[in-house]
Protein backbone atom coordinates (compact mmCIF):
# COMPACT_ATOMS: atom_id res chain seq x y z
CA UNK A 1 0.00 0.00 0.00
CA UNK A 2 1.37 3.42 -1.01
CA UNK A 3 1.11 6.17 1.57
CA UNK A 4 1.54 9.91 1.55
CA UNK A 5 1.79 12.67 4.17
CA UNK A 6 0.14 16.10 3.98
CA UNK A 7 2.86 18.77 3.58
CA UNK A 8 1.39 22.28 4.08
CA UNK A 9 1.27 23.55 7.70
CA UNK A 10 -2.15 25.00 6.96
CA UNK A 11 -3.53 21.65 5.80
CA UNK A 12 -4.73 20.56 2.38
CA UNK A 13 -8.11 20.65 0.68
CA UNK A 14 -9.57 17.23 -0.13
CA UNK A 15 -11.61 17.44 -3.34
CA UNK A 16 -14.20 15.08 -4.81
CA UNK A 17 -12.35 14.96 -8.14
CA UNK A 18 -9.33 16.69 -9.73
CA UNK A 19 -10.10 20.44 -9.48
CA UNK A 20 -13.49 19.50 -8.03
CA UNK A 21 -15.53 20.51 -4.97
CA UNK A 22 -13.86 20.73 -1.54
CA UNK A 23 -14.94 17.85 0.71
CA UNK A 24 -12.89 18.65 3.82
CA UNK A 25 -9.48 19.93 4.95
CA UNK A 26 -6.79 17.38 5.76
CA UNK A 27 -4.46 18.18 8.71
CA UNK A 28 -0.72 18.84 8.37
CA UNK A 29 1.23 15.54 8.63
CA UNK A 30 -1.91 13.48 8.26
CA UNK A 31 -1.11 10.11 6.60
CA UNK A 32 -3.17 9.08 3.58
CA UNK A 33 -3.44 5.88 1.61
CA UNK A 34 -2.92 6.41 -2.13
CA UNK A 35 -5.63 4.42 -3.88
CA UNK A 36 -5.18 5.76 -7.37
CA UNK A 37 -2.61 7.92 -9.13
CA UNK A 38 -3.83 10.47 -11.63
CA UNK A 39 -1.06 11.99 -13.67
CA UNK A 40 -1.07 15.20 -15.63
CA UNK A 41 1.82 16.11 -17.92
CA UNK A 42 2.97 19.60 -18.77
CA UNK A 43 3.52 19.45 -22.51
CA UNK A 44 4.46 21.48 -25.54
CA UNK A 45 2.93 20.72 -28.93
CA UNK A 46 4.84 20.83 -32.20
CA UNK A 47 3.20 24.17 -32.94
CA UNK A 48 4.33 25.60 -29.60
CA UNK A 49 1.23 25.58 -27.37
CA UNK A 50 2.03 24.76 -23.74
CA UNK A 51 -0.43 23.28 -21.29
CA UNK A 52 -1.48 20.19 -19.35
CA UNK A 53 -2.89 16.90 -20.57
CA UNK A 54 -4.33 13.97 -18.65
CA UNK A 55 -1.86 11.07 -18.61
CA UNK A 56 -4.52 8.55 -19.67
CA UNK A 57 -4.66 10.07 -23.13
CA UNK A 58 -0.99 10.14 -24.04
CA UNK A 59 1.43 7.31 -24.56
CA UNK A 60 5.02 7.95 -23.58
CA UNK A 61 7.49 7.30 -26.39
CA UNK A 62 10.79 5.76 -25.28
CA UNK A 63 13.66 8.08 -26.37
CA UNK A 64 15.16 5.42 -28.64
CA UNK A 65 12.04 5.44 -30.80
CA UNK A 66 12.34 9.12 -31.63
CA UNK A 67 13.99 8.98 -34.99
CA UNK A 68 12.78 11.01 -37.91
CA UNK A 69 14.16 8.94 -40.70
CA UNK A 70 13.11 5.78 -42.37
CA UNK A 71 16.41 4.58 -43.77
CA UNK A 72 16.92 3.02 -47.16
CA UNK A 73 17.93 -0.13 -45.31
CA UNK A 74 14.62 -0.21 -43.49
CA UNK A 75 12.77 0.38 -46.75
CA UNK A 76 14.66 -2.42 -48.48
CA UNK A 77 14.50 -4.84 -45.58
CA UNK A 78 12.21 -7.81 -46.02
CA UNK A 79 11.32 -7.42 -42.37
CA UNK A 80 8.77 -9.69 -40.82
CA UNK A 81 6.07 -7.38 -39.63
CA UNK A 82 3.62 -8.55 -37.01
CA UNK A 83 0.05 -8.70 -38.36
CA UNK A 84 -0.89 -5.79 -36.10
CA UNK A 85 1.78 -3.64 -37.76
CA UNK A 86 0.54 -4.38 -41.25
CA UNK A 87 -1.12 -1.71 -43.30
CA UNK A 88 -4.52 -3.16 -44.09
CA UNK A 89 -6.75 -1.10 -46.30
CA UNK A 90 -10.50 -0.89 -45.91
CA UNK A 91 -13.34 1.30 -47.19
CA UNK A 92 -15.01 3.19 -44.37
CA UNK A 93 -18.69 3.76 -44.94
CA UNK A 94 -20.21 5.65 -42.01
CA UNK A 95 -23.87 6.66 -42.15
CA UNK A 96 -22.90 10.36 -42.19
CA UNK A 97 -20.07 9.97 -44.73
CA UNK A 98 -20.70 11.12 -48.28
CA UNK A 99 -18.48 12.07 -51.22
CA UNK A 100 -15.44 9.97 -52.02
CA UNK A 101 -15.29 6.65 -50.13
CA UNK A 102 -12.70 6.90 -47.37
CA UNK A 103 -10.00 4.35 -48.12
CA UNK A 104 -8.11 3.96 -44.84
CA UNK A 105 -6.04 1.66 -42.65
CA UNK A 106 -8.16 -0.74 -40.54
CA UNK A 107 -6.71 0.72 -37.35
CA UNK A 108 -8.17 4.14 -38.20
CA UNK A 109 -11.74 2.80 -38.32
CA UNK A 110 -12.50 3.30 -34.58
CA UNK A 111 -11.49 6.97 -34.93
CA UNK A 112 -13.69 7.43 -38.02
CA UNK A 113 -16.56 5.78 -36.16
CA UNK A 114 -16.25 8.54 -33.56
CA UNK A 115 -16.16 11.19 -36.32
CA UNK A 116 -19.37 9.61 -37.61
CA UNK A 117 -20.99 9.81 -34.16
CA UNK A 118 -20.00 13.49 -33.81
CA UNK A 119 -21.40 14.21 -37.27
CA UNK A 120 -24.67 12.52 -36.37
CA UNK A 121 -24.94 14.47 -33.10
CA UNK A 122 -24.32 17.75 -34.93
CA UNK A 123 -26.53 16.84 -37.91
CA UNK A 124 -23.75 17.38 -40.40
CA UNK A 125 -22.52 15.15 -43.23
CA UNK A 126 -18.86 14.51 -43.92
CA UNK A 127 -18.02 15.04 -47.58
CA UNK A 128 -14.73 13.18 -47.99
CA UNK A 129 -12.44 14.68 -50.63
CA UNK A 130 -9.37 12.50 -50.02
CA UNK A 131 -8.04 9.88 -47.64
CA UNK A 132 -5.03 7.62 -48.22
CA UNK A 133 -2.51 9.44 -50.37
CA UNK A 134 -0.63 7.73 -53.18
CA UNK A 135 2.97 6.88 -52.50
CA UNK A 136 4.79 7.95 -55.63
CA UNK A 137 8.47 8.23 -56.34
CA UNK A 138 8.53 11.78 -55.04
CA UNK A 139 7.07 10.69 -51.72
CA UNK A 140 9.49 7.80 -51.42
CA UNK A 141 12.33 10.23 -52.09
CA UNK A 142 11.03 12.37 -49.25
CA UNK A 143 10.69 9.42 -46.91
CA UNK A 144 14.29 8.30 -47.01
CA UNK A 145 15.60 11.53 -45.51
CA UNK A 146 13.22 13.02 -42.88
CA UNK A 147 9.89 11.28 -43.14
CA UNK A 148 6.95 13.38 -44.23
CA UNK A 149 5.00 12.10 -41.23
CA UNK A 150 1.68 12.72 -42.92
CA UNK A 151 -1.07 10.50 -41.61
CA UNK A 152 -2.38 10.36 -45.21
CA UNK A 153 0.45 8.00 -46.21
CA UNK A 154 -0.63 5.34 -43.74
CA UNK A 155 -4.39 5.76 -44.12
CA UNK A 156 -4.87 7.61 -40.84
CA UNK A 157 -6.28 10.89 -42.17
CA UNK A 158 -9.15 12.28 -44.20
CA UNK A 159 -9.74 15.59 -45.92
CA UNK A 160 -13.37 16.63 -45.91
CA UNK A 161 -15.90 19.38 -46.38
CA UNK A 162 -18.71 19.66 -43.87
CA UNK A 163 -22.25 19.62 -45.23
CA UNK A 164 -24.95 21.26 -43.14
CA UNK A 165 -28.53 22.10 -44.16
CA UNK A 166 -27.65 21.45 -47.80
CA UNK A 167 -24.65 23.79 -47.80
CA UNK A 168 -21.06 22.69 -48.22
CA UNK A 169 -18.46 24.25 -45.88
CA UNK A 170 -15.06 24.14 -47.56
CA UNK A 171 -11.53 24.99 -46.55
CA UNK A 172 -12.17 28.73 -46.76
CA UNK A 173 -15.38 28.69 -44.70
CA UNK A 174 -13.97 26.28 -42.09
CA UNK A 175 -11.00 28.51 -41.26
CA UNK A 176 -10.44 28.82 -37.52
CA UNK A 177 -11.00 32.60 -37.60
CA UNK A 178 -14.36 32.03 -39.26
CA UNK A 179 -15.66 29.37 -36.83
CA UNK A 180 -17.77 31.77 -34.77
CA UNK A 181 -19.63 32.82 -37.94
CA UNK A 182 -20.67 29.25 -38.73
CA UNK A 183 -23.96 27.56 -37.83
CA UNK A 184 -23.90 25.74 -34.46
CA UNK A 185 -23.97 22.30 -36.10
CA UNK A 186 -20.74 22.98 -38.00
CA UNK A 187 -18.82 24.71 -35.21
CA UNK A 188 -19.93 22.10 -32.65
CA UNK A 189 -18.76 19.33 -34.96
CA UNK A 190 -15.30 20.93 -35.20
CA UNK A 191 -15.34 21.36 -31.41
CA UNK A 192 -16.06 17.62 -31.00
CA UNK A 193 -13.00 16.78 -33.12
CA UNK A 194 -10.88 19.21 -31.07
CA UNK A 195 -12.13 17.73 -27.80
CA UNK A 196 -11.56 14.12 -28.87
CA UNK A 197 -8.65 12.62 -26.91
CA UNK A 198 -6.97 11.26 -30.05
CA UNK A 199 -8.20 13.15 -33.12
CA UNK A 200 -6.68 16.38 -34.42
CA UNK A 201 -8.36 19.04 -36.49
CA UNK A 202 -6.06 20.52 -39.15
CA UNK A 203 -7.45 23.99 -38.42
CA UNK A 204 -5.33 23.89 -35.25
CA UNK A 205 -2.10 23.25 -37.18
CA UNK A 206 0.57 25.90 -37.53
CA UNK A 207 -0.15 25.89 -41.24
CA UNK A 208 -3.93 25.81 -41.06
CA UNK A 209 -5.54 22.90 -42.88
CA UNK A 210 -9.18 23.10 -41.79
CA UNK A 211 -10.42 20.26 -44.03
CA UNK A 212 -8.01 17.78 -42.48
CA UNK A 213 -8.70 15.30 -39.65
CA UNK A 214 -6.14 12.75 -38.42
CA UNK A 215 -5.23 10.73 -35.34
CA UNK A 216 -1.69 12.10 -34.90
CA UNK A 217 -0.41 8.61 -35.66
CA UNK A 218 3.22 9.53 -36.30
CA UNK A 219 3.65 11.35 -33.01
CA UNK A 220 1.69 8.76 -31.05
CA UNK A 221 3.69 5.81 -32.32
CA UNK A 222 6.60 6.44 -34.65
CA UNK A 223 7.67 2.81 -34.84
CA UNK A 224 4.20 1.73 -35.82
CA UNK A 225 3.96 4.55 -38.36
CA UNK A 226 7.16 3.33 -39.99
CA UNK A 227 5.98 -0.27 -39.88
CA UNK A 228 2.69 0.66 -41.58
CA UNK A 229 4.48 2.75 -44.19
CA UNK A 230 7.00 -0.03 -44.83
CA UNK A 231 4.19 -2.54 -45.07
CA UNK A 232 2.35 -0.33 -47.56
CA UNK A 233 5.48 0.12 -49.70
CA UNK A 234 6.03 -3.66 -49.68
CA UNK A 235 2.43 -4.26 -50.73
CA UNK A 236 2.80 -1.75 -53.59
CA UNK A 237 6.01 -3.42 -54.75
CA UNK A 238 4.62 -6.94 -54.48
ZN1 LIG B 1 -5.17 16.22 -45.07
Amino acid sequence: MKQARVKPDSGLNLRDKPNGKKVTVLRHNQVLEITDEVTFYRVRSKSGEIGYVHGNYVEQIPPTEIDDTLTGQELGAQSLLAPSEMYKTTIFSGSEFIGERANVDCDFVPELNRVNVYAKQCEVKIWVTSSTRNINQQVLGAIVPPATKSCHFVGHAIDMNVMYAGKLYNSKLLKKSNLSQLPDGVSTFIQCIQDDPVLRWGGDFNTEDPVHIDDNFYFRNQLMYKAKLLSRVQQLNA
Side-chain angles (χ1 to χ4, degrees), residues 133 152 157-159 209 212:
R133 200 163 287 164
H152 282 295
I158 55 164
D159 293 334
D209 188 7
H212 175 99

Side-chain angles (χ1 to χ4, degrees), residues 10 17 19-20 30 36 62 89 100 133-134 176 179 183 189 201 205 216-217:
S10 54
K17 54 175 179 276
N19 302 317
Q30 188 173 336
D36 194 13
T89 185
E100 189 183 299
R133 200 163 287 164
N134 285 339
K176 201 172 186 174
L179 275 191
F189 170 73
W201 173 52
F205 293 177
N216 205 9
F217 195 64

Side-chain angles (χ1 to χ4, degrees), residues 22 82 163:
K22 185 167 110 179
M163 193 164 210

Side-chain angles (χ1 to χ4, degrees), residues 22-87:
K22 185 167 110 179
V23 176
T24 184
V25 180
L26 304 166
R27 290 184 328 275
H28 173 58
N29 275 341
Q30 188 173 336
V31 172
L32 306 165
E33 177 191 344
I34 297 174
T35 59
D36 194 13
E37 285 185 56
V38 182
T39 308
F40 279 82
Y41 297 109
R42 185 164 192 267
V43 296
R44 180 170 52 227
S45 74
K46 284 276 156 182
S47 47
E49 296 102 330
I50 292 175
Y52 292 82
V53 295
H54 195 291
N56 284 0
Y57 296 125
V58 291
E59 182 183 35
Q60 285 200 45
I61 304 165
T64 50
E65 290 184 26
I66 298 170
D67 169 10
D68 272 9
T69 57
L70 185 61
T71 64
Q73 201 176 15
E74 281 176 297
L75 269 178
Q78 293 301 308
S79 63
L80 293 165
L81 297 169
S84 63
E85 295 169 332
M86 289 290 193
Y87 173 80

Side-chain angles (χ1 to χ4, degrees), residues 178-222:
N178 195 45
L179 275 191
S180 58
Q181 315 296 318
L182 299 179
D184 275 358
V186 182
S187 56
T188 309
F189 170 73
I190 298 294
Q191 183 79 50
C192 289
I193 303 294
Q194 290 178 298
D195 290 346
D196 185 276
V198 172
L199 294 167
R200 295 191 304 178
W201 173 52
D204 287 324
F205 293 177
N206 240 357
T207 308
E208 242 186 273
D209 188 7
V211 296
H212 175 99
I213 296 173
D214 72 28
D215 66 351
N216 205 9
F217 195 64
Y218 180 82
F219 289 106
R220 285 195 300 123
N221 194 333
Q222 299 186 23

Side-chain angles (χ1 to χ4, degrees), residues 69-236:
T69 57
L70 185 61
T71 64
Q73 201 176 15
E74 281 176 297
L75 269 178
Q78 293 301 308
S79 63
L80 293 165
L81 297 169
S84 63
E85 295 169 332
M86 289 290 193
Y87 173 80
K88 201 160 157 235
T89 185
T90 186
I91 304 282
F92 180 79
S93 47
S95 57
E96 313 308 306
F97 276 59
I98 53 177
E100 189 183 299
R101 298 283 79 182
N103 198 334
V104 295
D105 180 43
C106 278
D107 292 345
F108 190 47
V109 169
E111 273 65 43
L112 287 185
N113 275 324
R114 290 206 303 285
V115 173
N116 196 63
V117 168
Y118 300 147
K120 195 161 197 162
Q121 285 167 354
C122 301
E123 297 178 355
V124 302
K125 299 275 183 206
I126 309 301
W127 185 289
V128 177
T129 56
S130 96
S131 45
T132 302
R133 200 163 287 164
N134 285 339
I135 296 184
N136 53 28
Q137 213 43 51
Q138 190 194 352
V139 171
L140 279 178
I143 289 165
V144 179
T148 67
K149 302 164 193 162
S150 170
C151 286
H152 282 295
F153 292 127
V154 291
H156 280 247
I158 55 164
D159 293 334
M160 49 96 225
N161 288 175
V162 178
M163 193 164 210
Y164 179 75
K167 183 173 171 177
L168 211 50
Y169 293 82
N170 61 13
S171 164
K172 198 176 159 201
L173 291 170
L174 292 173
K175 270 177 80 95
K176 201 172 186 174
S177 56
N178 195 45
L179 275 191
S180 58
Q181 315 296 318
L182 299 179
D184 275 358
V186 182
S187 56
T188 309
F189 170 73
I190 298 294
Q191 183 79 50
C192 289
I193 303 294
Q194 290 178 298
D195 290 346
D196 185 276
V198 172
L199 294 167
R200 295 191 304 178
W201 173 52
D204 287 324
F205 293 177
N206 240 357
T207 308
E208 242 186 273
D209 188 7
V211 296
H212 175 99
I213 296 173
D214 72 28
D215 66 351
N216 205 9
F217 195 64
Y218 180 82
F219 289 106
R220 285 195 300 123
N221 194 333
Q222 299 186 23
L223 274 189
M224 196 68 98
Y225 178 96
K226 284 186 180 184
K228 296 265 190 204
L229 193 58
L230 184 54
S231 162
R232 204 179 156 216
V233 169
Q234 285 174 347
Q235 287 169 30
L236 289 172

